[in-house]
Amino acid sequence: MPARTTVPPMEVMAAAIPKAFDQAQSSMATHQKNFIALHKVHAEVATITEEVHGGMKLVGERAFEDGFIEMINRVLVIKKGTTVADRIVKFVGGYIKFLNAKVAEERAKQEEDEDEQEETTASRFTARLLKHFLKGFEAKDKNVRYRVVHFAAEMMSHLGEVEEATYELLRAALMERVRDKEPTVRVQAVIALSKLCGTENPDDIEEGEPTALEVLEDILAYDPTADVRRAVLLNMPVSPTTLTALLARTRDIDTTVRKLAYSVLENNITAPGTEDTVGITHPRALTIAQRELIVRNGLGDREPAVRAAAGKLVSAWVDAISAHKGSMLEDLIAFLQTFDLAESQLAEDALLSVFVTRPEYFDGLEFEDSFWTELTPERAFLVRVLVDYCVTNKDNTRLENVLPVVTALAFRIQTAYNDLEEQLEADEQDRMLRGEDEEDQDVSKEEERMGREFVISEMLKLAVNLDYADEIGRRKMFQLVRVIVAQDSLPENLVARCLDVLRVLSPNERELIRIIVEVVHELRDPAETEEEVGLSISSFYNDLLMELLQREDMENPADDGETTFGETPRPNRIARPPPEPKRPEDMSPEEQARADLIDVRCLDLCIGMLERVNGTFEENSTLEGILGELVVPAVKRKEVVLREKGLVTLGLCCLIARRMALNSFQLFLSQVQSAPENLKVRVLQVVFDVLMVHDTDFLAKGSPQGDRVVEFLLNVLSNEDSDRVQALIAMGFAKLMLSGMVTDERVLTSLVLVYLSPDTVDNQELRQCLSYFFPVYCYSSPGNQRRMQNIFLPIFDQLSAVYKELEDDHDMVSPAQVSGMFVDWTDPQKLIELPGLVADPDVHIDMAAAIVKAMFSQKMEKDDKKVLCQVLTKLYIPPEIDDDKIRRLKLLMQTLLARRPIRDTAANNAFAKFDKSISQKFEKQLEAFNEDEFRELESLKDLFEFLDDIMPEDDEEEDEAPKKRGRKRRSDSVVTSTTSSTAGDDAPPVTPSRKKGKRQAKKRRLSQSDEEDEEDDDDDVVRGSPPTSAAPTRTMPRRAATKAVDMTPIVISSDDEDDDDEEEEDDEEATPVPAARRGKPSGRGRVQSKSKKEEARLDQDIDDLLEGPSHDSIMDSDPEEDEEVDEMLDDL
């Protein structure tokens, strides 16, 4: 038998390492086996050393490390997503973990107690690998950077002990890689950096240098790639420090990140490894604001997946709070105690979410008699939400088991209101006795009072859904609420609740109006005593008790049905003429203050009543007395509160009274001029509501009154400093345009300019509204897309000019982004599918023709042409196009290349690409293209007239820089520079002015100066739609502003003053000639050929407007405005 030969360890190692890597890349199931085999070889070769001068050379370890690194280097160049390479990464990380685990076992056996451990084979091997990977952190190849950072991230959890210098190098390198331009590299870098957060010592970090945790928070907030933010969410440690950054991701733009944020919050409700220890995101550890933020963002999310994740989190909160220690009722009450029930509806959303995700809570709730004896805010809220949920889902069986008896609920409302009044009286007496001291006691009493009011409010909401088949219960509930609403001490937040109950109990709207009018007269009549009013609260309580006792002794129950549902008894009143009320000047200050409070209460009642009726004003004659005695005097008052409520009440009356709306609309517009912000907001709400309801009277097509209203509102939008007012006007116009009541392109142009203006970058309400409006508006109608296409080029010119002059401290979208928005908005493929709605496939082909025609202008800058050429390649060209349209486009492109060649290479390439695609796609339609024959076609006559006027460009003119303006010119408003988007519409599109209080740093107006208008007169034809009959060589004389239909606000003043003002305006700036409406056969020639008879007729219309007594000014700033308002109100 031959002797066994022993293979040297170095040879065994040379074969074992490649074999282990080969098996590891095939399957992860072999990793553990190869860990053991490699560790055995590693330990054997580690014993091979060589003595050198002054020490020992670790020959075996060095050879093993070289062989291991050689295998790793073969993986570094493999791109992301390759499975075999990912398995090798896992294998290397696992082997590092295996090595350090073996070292820990050996040390545990040796029971070493030394403070500093000696270097081991594992520590030297780990340090060598780490240093090798750090060399690749700066590699040019993105695959190498990705792989080395991936290896480092996989090793981070099992590094063990490393030298301080190595740790600093690793930390600095990771800080660089988290800013890598490749998202895949940043993902692995943040994973690795998150594992260093727990090892950082704040004392070792230099002043001003960010910690790893701060860097991760910054990346979580600002990294543009969703995968990177997702990696930070999964790996960043959750702590009170990072909780704010985590909650901010509930509003992330990426759906997956938002969903993951709620999963992370759920996983940290309890401390890691425990079931009952309060964690970072436990509801009791969060503040009320944080809990409400989570519920608001999660349950209000647009994506069902995110709402489901938020609902799961809320359900976990219920379990964490209750810990299953009590009944379901107690668990839900404890859950509701973590919310502020009175301030928002978020608690209701959270409770409804629990009913949906945990049906056992909905089915298991039972309300015994003891539940109703002591109603707390949480108990009243719970039963009310449960009833509303049953009504919404039409669960009548469950509703019958939950609803209380009508009479019993009336008793409880009565008792609760009596207790509230007693507390108010006691608090008032106590305050008078002890003065202003003991603020803490006042706070506790205030909270108790608010709790009582909340309980009454919830019971009144519950009363709306009661079954009023019981006539006695219905009558008593009606009497109770009727008496409560007539109390001047009734808290304001209970007024609306009482009106809701009265609306249900009243047989019709006329009866409801009659009741409220009676209450208003009772409150404002100072001579009327409590006995004359009817039942007091205490007398109602006694009468109700007596009737219940009589009901038990009734022998014939059928007698109860004699009173029908609509027969509500009226309180007995003594017929006598009302006493003459005191005049305000005859009242003392105390009486005047009390009278004002009564008027405010009466106006609140009227507002609530009018919000709940749908009939006309003429059908309810009782409203006329309230209008003259209460509403009109309130509008005349100087106090803002009374005037505001008076105007709102008058506006609600106008919604149901057409004639009153026509007479009062001028009054509302006049109040907008000098009113404070809050009042202006309410008045503008009234204005837009009236326009929506009476659109045929104010916004009829061709109505001069409608044009003046639109002009006035655009002017307010232009000059308003308040963000709220701007947002409100934009929202109002958006509703009018979306409903089709306003189709004026001036309004659409103004909304686009306001949306993209750098002045509105901080007005998030406005921008959010318009961000939703524009896609919905364009995708809902082909006509809307056509309007958007018509205004594209004028808006592009203005925004491009503003963008070039924009300062560094202002933000604005680029012209390329603007053009991308318009391409998306006008895409006919995105039109919603509705019966009878047919897309306009020619929108983009007409846009292409308009773009090519605009590029004939020699004044268009190179950058603008480049953007427009790139836009052409993004347009949707339908497979079938009318012959005239495709010939027109092809002729324009050929002439442009021949007479105005594009000098920029990128722009020329894009244009050539578009030209080639058109030629190939419509080869058959263009194969017989003959310019001489086409000249005979009547439909192309206007096009050839335009093209014949284009002179070829000299070679010396190429790349000529645009001329610099030598001096500043007073800039016009957007009024004069955007009217070219409409035909015959002279009123101004607007952009917002710079807000007051901000640094006036060279204001950017989306407009052109007068001299620029003159320079661009020749380009209007180029950038408009093709003219039909005008000779291209004619020039149109500029007309003075007095000869056009001036859409600026009309001020009623003397004729001499008007003439003087107009002459001064003529000297300063002239009105530009409006260009033709795009997409329609009208052009410069039509404007030039306008007859003198037409101009004379327009001038006469202006004179009629100025002289007519029925057309008051909507911009009137006369100091005697109050007298004018009084006259308007007297005419109502």
Side-chain angles (χ1 to χ4, degrees):
M1 183 176 179
R4 179 180 297 179
T5 58
T6 302
V7 181
M10 299 294 285
E11 295 182 9
V12 173
M13 178 201 69
I17 293 178
K19 180 180 178 181
F21 272 82
D22 183 60
Q23 293 180 358
Q25 72 177 346
S26 301
S27 173
M28 294 184 64
T30 62
H31 284 193
Q32 188 64 29
K33 179 186 71 173
N34 286 291
F35 292 160
I36 298 173
L38 271 184
H39 180 260
K40 182 178 179 181
V41 174
H42 197 176
E44 289 181 359
V45 299
T47 59
I48 302 176
T49 59
E50 181 181 336
E51 293 185 2
V52 295
H53 297 289
M56 190 75 67
K57 185 177 181 180
L58 305 176
V59 178
E61 286 187 16
R62 187 72 176 181
F64 184 88
E65 293 167 0
D66 292 340
F68 202 91
I69 290 174
E70 183 183 355
M71 294 295 103
I72 290 176
N73 288 340
R74 301 183 182 185
V75 183
L76 297 182
V77 295
I78 301 177
K79 64 181 180 180
K80 180 182 181 295
T82 307
T83 307
V84 293
D86 294 338
R87 289 177 184 151
I88 294 298
V89 174
K90 293 288 184 182
F91 177 74
V92 173
Y95 184 65
I96 297 295
K97 179 181 179 181
F98 185 84
L99 278 181
N100 286 285
K102 286 295 183 180
V103 172
E105 290 178 4
E106 292 176 1
R107 288 179 176 175
K109 292 179 181 179
Q110 297 175 2
E111 297 181 356
E112 292 182 354
D113 297 331
E114 300 178 4
D115 295 337
E116 296 183 2
Q117 303 293 343
E118 296 180 357
E119 284 188 344
T120 62
T121 301
S123 64
R124 288 191 292 269
F125 177 76
T126 303
R128 174 78 186 280
L129 278 186
L130 201 55
K131 290 179 181 178
H132 178 70
F133 291 142
L134 287 174
K135 295 177 183 177
F137 273 46
E138 300 292 337
K140 293 183 178 179
D141 191 340
K142 64 180 180 181
N143 295 325
V144 174
R145 295 200 308 275
Y146 167 72
R147 285 298 171 188
V148 294
V149 177
H150 194 182
F151 274 113
E154 193 67 30
M155 293 173 55
M156 291 296 294
S157 300
H158 320 294
L159 282 180
E161 299 175 359
V162 294
E163 296 179 355
E164 185 68 23
T166 305
Y167 175 84
E168 292 296 335
L169 288 175
L170 176 62
R171 183 180 181 278
L174 290 175
M175 287 289 192
E176 290 291 331
R177 287 309 97 209
V178 295
R179 307 297 182 186
D180 196 280
K181 65 179 180 179
E182 296 297 329
T184 55
V185 178
R186 298 201 301 273
V187 168
Q188 298 301 325
V190 298
I191 293 174
L193 187 62
S194 63
K195 296 173 182 177
L196 293 180
C197 292
T199 62
E200 280 187 332
N201 186 356
D203 297 334
D204 297 338
I205 299 176
E206 298 181 1
E207 185 178 356
E209 181 182 1
T211 63
L213 205 56
E214 292 173 347
V215 172
L216 291 177
E217 289 179 352
D218 184 75
I219 294 172
L220 182 61
Y222 301 112
D223 195 284
T225 306
D227 289 339
V228 179
R229 301 195 301 273
R230 193 179 309 128
V232 178
L233 270 180
L234 287 171
N235 295 275
M236 183 178 66
V238 180
S239 64
T241 305
T242 60
L243 185 58
T244 302
L246 174 59
L247 294 179
R249 289 308 93 205
T250 59
R251 296 290 291 171
D252 196 276
I253 60 174
D254 184 72
T255 302
T256 307
V257 174
R258 297 198 304 273
K259 180 182 176 182
L260 183 61
Y262 289 100
S263 300
V264 173
L265 290 171
E266 182 183 356
N267 295 335
N268 289 272
I269 290 177
T270 58
T274 63
E275 296 183 357
D276 54 356
T277 306
V278 175
I280 300 299
T281 61
H282 192 282
R284 298 195 187 279
L286 300 173
T287 64
I288 291 180
Q290 290 172 335
R291 289 192 293 268
E292 291 184 348
L293 176 69
I294 293 171
V295 173
R296 181 188 304 108
N297 295 344
L299 299 181
D301 197 276
R302 69 175 71 93
E303 295 294 334
V306 180
R307 293 198 300 269
K312 188 179 178 183
L313 171 63
V314 173
S315 177
W317 279 356
V318 177
D319 294 336
I321 291 173
S322 63
H324 304 288
K325 295 180 181 179
S327 63
M328 291 184 178
L329 179 61
E330 293 174 349
D331 292 347
L332 290 179
I333 290 176
F335 172 70
L336 292 175
Q337 288 174 347
T338 61
F339 291 92
D340 188 351
L341 303 180
E343 293 298 326
S344 67
Q345 196 177 344
L346 298 176
E348 181 175 349
D349 295 337
L351 185 56
L352 291 175
S353 175
V354 173
F355 288 157
V356 173
T357 58
R358 304 287 293 275
E360 63 272 16
Y361 278 98
F362 173 72
D363 297 330
L365 287 177
E366 297 292 341
F367 303 111
E368 304 293 340
D369 293 339
S370 58
F371 174 85
W372 299 95
T373 55
E374 294 183 3
L375 280 179
T376 62
E378 291 77 19
R379 288 170 175 258
F381 181 83
L382 175 60
V383 67
R384 195 269 302 170
V385 173
L386 180 62
V387 169
D388 288 347
Y389 183 74
C390 293
V391 172
T392 303
N393 293 276
K394 299 180 180 179
D395 191 349
N396 296 326
T397 303
R398 187 82 176 101
L399 188 61
E400 291 178 0
N401 298 329
V402 174
L403 282 178
V405 179
V406 177
T407 309
L409 184 62
F411 265 117
R412 294 185 176 93
I413 295 175
Q414 156 67 23
T415 304
Y417 188 78
N418 279 342
D419 294 342
L420 176 62
E421 281 199 326
E422 292 175 0
Q423 181 188 356
L424 292 176
E425 293 177 1
D427 291 347
E428 184 64 26
Q429 293 177 0
D430 189 41
R431 191 178 298 110
M432 293 177 63
L433 292 175
R434 60 183 175 82
E436 300 296 332
D437 300 334
E438 302 181 11
E439 294 183 0
D440 295 339
Q441 194 174 16
D442 287 342
V443 171
S444 62
K445 289 185 177 181
E446 181 69 16
E447 292 177 354
E448 183 181 357
R449 181 190 62 79
M450 293 177 62
R452 292 179 184 273
E453 290 181 8
F454 183 79
V455 171
I456 297 174
S457 176
E458 294 301 302
M459 287 193 290
L460 289 172
K461 290 180 183 179
L462 183 62
V464 174
N465 294 315
L466 292 180
D467 182 8
Y468 289 103
D470 178 12
E471 181 61 22
I472 291 181
R474 189 197 69 82
R475 292 173 57 192
K476 297 310 174 185
M477 180 65 76
F478 176 84
Q479 292 176 359
L480 171 65
V481 179
R482 168 65 176 80
V483 172
I484 290 179
V485 81
Q487 303 295 312
D488 56 0
S489 60
L490 178 68
E492 183 179 357
N493 60 330
L494 297 181
V495 173
R497 306 284 75 81
C498 292
L499 292 176
D500 289 335
V501 178
L502 287 177
R503 183 184 183 185
V504 173
L505 295 176
S506 300
N508 50 53
E509 291 182 355
R510 179 175 297 181
E511 186 67 14
L512 174 63
I513 293 174
R514 180 191 64 79
I515 294 169
I516 299 304
V517 170
E518 285 184 358
V519 171
V520 169
H521 284 303
E522 292 169 6
L523 289 172
R524 301 187 78 238
D525 192 348
E528 205 162 321
T529 62
E530 183 177 359
E531 290 79 6
E532 292 171 339
V533 171
L535 294 173
S536 66
I537 293 294
S538 58
S539 64
F540 163 77
Y541 183 86
N542 296 330
D543 291 347
L544 183 59
L545 182 60
M546 290 298 296
E547 186 143 2
L548 287 175
L549 294 176
Q550 293 174 6
R551 188 179 182 185
E552 295 178 359
D553 297 335
M554 285 182 185
E555 295 182 357
N556 186 11
D559 294 340
D560 295 343
E562 292 179 357
T563 304
T564 63
F565 184 85
E567 293 178 354
T568 301
R570 302 187 184 183
N572 296 324
R573 300 184 62 185
I574 302 174
R576 57 178 176 81
E580 186 71 21
K582 280 187 178 182
R583 294 180 300 177
E585 53 269 18
D586 297 335
M587 295 183 182
S588 64
E590 293 78 9
E591 291 177 337
Q592 181 65 48
R594 176 173 175 77
D596 290 346
L597 291 176
I598 294 296
D599 286 347
V600 170
R601 168 52 50 81
C602 294
L603 289 171
D604 287 335
L605 288 172
C606 292
I607 291 173
M609 171 194 64
L610 292 170
E611 289 174 345
R612 290 162 175 80
V613 299
N614 297 312
T616 62
F617 192 88
E618 291 75 10
E619 294 174 352
N620 301 279
S621 57
T622 53
L623 289 175
E624 295 180 0
I626 294 295
L627 181 66
E629 298 175 7
L630 177 64
V631 179
V632 172
V635 174
K636 296 180 179 180
R637 296 291 296 272
K638 299 296 184 182
E639 294 79 6
V640 176
V641 175
L642 283 169
R643 173 171 285 197
E644 176 184 337
K645 292 185 180 295
L647 288 170
V648 172
T649 308
L650 181 60
L652 291 171
C653 291
C654 291
L655 296 182
I656 60 176
R658 173 181 171 275
R659 183 175 300 177
M660 186 185 301
L662 294 174
N663 294 334
S664 304
F665 196 73
Q666 189 71 37
L667 168 66
F668 295 125
L669 295 181
S670 66
Q671 294 295 308
V672 175
Q673 295 304 303
S674 58
E677 180 180 356
N678 292 334
L679 180 57
K680 186 178 295 186
V681 168
R682 299 306 300 271
V683 173
L684 285 171
Q685 289 173 345
V686 171
V687 168
F688 281 108
D689 286 346
V690 171
L691 291 177
M692 293 285 288
V693 174
H694 304 290
D695 58 302
T696 56
D697 296 305
F698 292 100
L699 301 174
K701 189 174 182 180
S703 170
Q705 185 177 6
D707 291 340
R708 290 197 301 271
V709 171
V710 170
E711 172 202 352
F712 168 73
L713 294 174
L714 289 177
N715 187 68
V716 175
L717 179 63
S718 152
N719 300 320
E720 184 56 49
D721 294 329
S722 170
D723 287 349
R724 288 180 59 198
V725 175
Q726 278 189 335
L728 177 61
I729 296 176
M731 189 180 303
F733 272 132
K735 291 179 180 179
L736 291 173
M737 297 205 70
L738 198 57
S739 62
M741 298 178 184
V742 172
T743 58
D744 196 336
E745 291 183 2
R746 296 174 301 166
V747 178
L748 186 59
T749 302
S750 298
L751 291 181
V752 175
L753 292 176
V754 169
Y755 176 57
L756 300 175
S757 170
D759 294 330
T760 62
V761 67
D762 296 326
N763 194 345
Q764 295 301 317
E765 184 180 1
L766 179 144
R767 293 212 166 188
Q768 185 175 8
C769 168
L770 295 181
S771 295
Y772 175 81
F773 162 72
F774 287 123
V776 174
Y777 176 77
C778 293
Y779 302 156
S780 61
S781 169
N784 295 342
Q785 287 188 327
R786 177 63 67 177
R787 293 186 191 94
M788 191 65 74
Q789 179 253 317
N790 291 340
I791 66 174
F792 166 59
L793 285 174
I795 288 181
F796 178 83
D797 292 341
Q798 295 177 69
L799 293 177
S800 178
V802 172
Y803 184 79
K804 292 179 178 65
E805 299 178 359
L806 195 68
E807 296 182 353
D808 295 337
D809 57 342
H810 292 87
D811 296 328
M812 183 180 176
V813 294
S814 65
Q817 292 172 310
V818 172
S819 61
M821 291 179 185
F822 274 89
V823 170
D824 182 72
W825 291 337
T826 57
D827 189 351
Q829 301 177 100
K830 295 188 176 182
L831 194 71
I832 59 176
E833 297 181 3
L834 291 176
L837 191 64
V838 181
D840 184 358
D842 297 335
V843 173
H844 274 186
I845 197 70
D846 291 341
M847 179 182 284
I851 290 174
V852 175
K853 196 171 183 181
M855 293 172 63
F856 279 95
S857 172
Q858 293 178 310
K859 296 179 181 179
M860 180 177 288
E861 296 188 11
K862 181 175 65 175
D863 292 340
D864 293 343
K865 288 187 177 181
K866 180 178 179 181
V867 171
L868 292 178
C869 288
Q870 293 171 346
V871 169
L872 291 175
T873 61
K874 300 176 183 178
L875 297 177
Y876 166 71
I877 306 300
E880 296 181 2
I881 301 180
D882 181 69
D883 290 347
D884 287 348
K885 288 184 180 291
I886 195 63
R887 291 166 183 169
R888 183 186 296 270
L889 177 61
K890 185 64 178 177
L891 187 59
L892 283 169
M893 290 191 294
Q894 287 184 349
T895 308
L896 179 66
L897 293 177
R899 303 186 184 183
R900 295 283 193 271
I902 302 173
R903 307 299 183 184
D904 182 77
T905 304
N908 188 48
N909 292 340
F911 190 85
K913 179 181 177 181
F914 178 72
D915 188 12
K916 182 179 179 181
S917 66
I918 291 294
S919 300
Q920 293 177 349
K921 196 170 186 177
F922 305 98
E923 182 178 1
K924 293 183 178 180
Q925 292 176 261
L926 297 173
E927 61 185 359
F929 187 78
N930 188 319
E931 182 175 338
D932 294 335
E933 294 179 2
F934 288 166
R935 282 184 177 274
E936 304 300 326
L937 297 177
E938 186 68 24
S939 60
L940 298 180
K941 182 179 180 181
D942 58 336
L943 177 62
F944 281 106
E945 290 177 352
F946 166 77
L947 295 178
D948 291 343
D949 195 42
I950 302 297
M951 301 299 295
E953 192 176 48
D954 295 336
D955 294 339
E956 294 148 2
E957 295 178 356
E958 69 176 65
D959 296 335
E960 182 180 357
K963 296 180 180 180
K964 301 291 183 180
R965 295 179 177 85
R967 60 185 180 87
K968 289 187 177 180
R969 302 183 179 96
R970 186 174 61 83
S971 178
D972 239 0
S973 68
V974 184
V975 173
T976 59
S977 59
T978 60
T979 50
S980 60
S981 64
T982 60
D985 292 334
D986 299 333
V990 296
T991 53
S993 59
R994 185 75 61 188
K995 311 294 181 295
K996 293 181 179 179
K998 296 185 179 179
R999 185 171 63 88
Q1000 301 291 331
K1002 191 176 181 180
K1003 185 173 181 180
R1004 302 299 173 194
R1005 299 291 301 273
L1006 303 185
S1007 62
Q1008 295 174 329
S1009 64
D1010 301 333
E1011 296 181 23
E1012 290 170 5
D1013 286 341
E1014 295 173 1
E1015 293 171 2
D1016 292 340
D1017 278 346
D1018 294 337
D1019 294 335
D1020 288 341
V1021 176
V1022 174
R1023 302 186 185 187
S1025 58
T1028 56
S1029 59
T1033 57
R1034 290 182 61 187
T1035 58
M1036 185 176 69
R1038 296 180 60 85
R1039 292 182 297 160
T1042 55
K1043 297 298 183 181
V1045 181
D1046 191 3
M1047 300 304 294
T1048 54
I1050 303 172
V1051 180
I1052 305 300
S1053 58
S1054 65
D1055 294 339
D1056 295 338
E1057 292 176 354
D1058 290 341
D1059 294 338
D1060 294 340
D1061 292 341
E1062 291 177 356
E1063 290 174 4
E1064 291 174 4
E1065 291 175 4
D1066 289 14
D1067 295 337
E1068 292 178 2
E1069 53 186 31
T1071 304
V1073 180
R1077 185 181 300 273
R1078 304 188 184 280
K1080 296 186 179 180
S1082 61
R1084 185 178 178 184
R1086 168 175 286 187
V1087 177
Q1088 293 172 347
S1089 62
K1090 184 178 294 185
S1091 65
K1092 295 183 178 180
K1093 181 178 180 181
E1094 178 76 3
E1095 294 182 3
R1097 183 182 62 81
L1098 294 176
D1099 292 340
Q1100 183 62 37
D1101 290 343
I1102 294 176
D1103 295 338
D1104 293 341
L1105 291 175
L1106 292 174
E1107 297 173 1
S1110 61
H1111 297 288
D1112 199 357
S1113 170
I1114 58 177
M1115 295 288 290
D1116 195 358
S1117 58
D1118 193 350
E1120 299 181 354
E1121 176 186 349
D1122 293 336
E1123 296 182 3
E1124 183 181 354
V1125 170
D1126 292 344
E1127 293 176 0
M1128 293 179 184
L1129 293 172
D1130 292 339
D1131 294 336
L1132 294 180

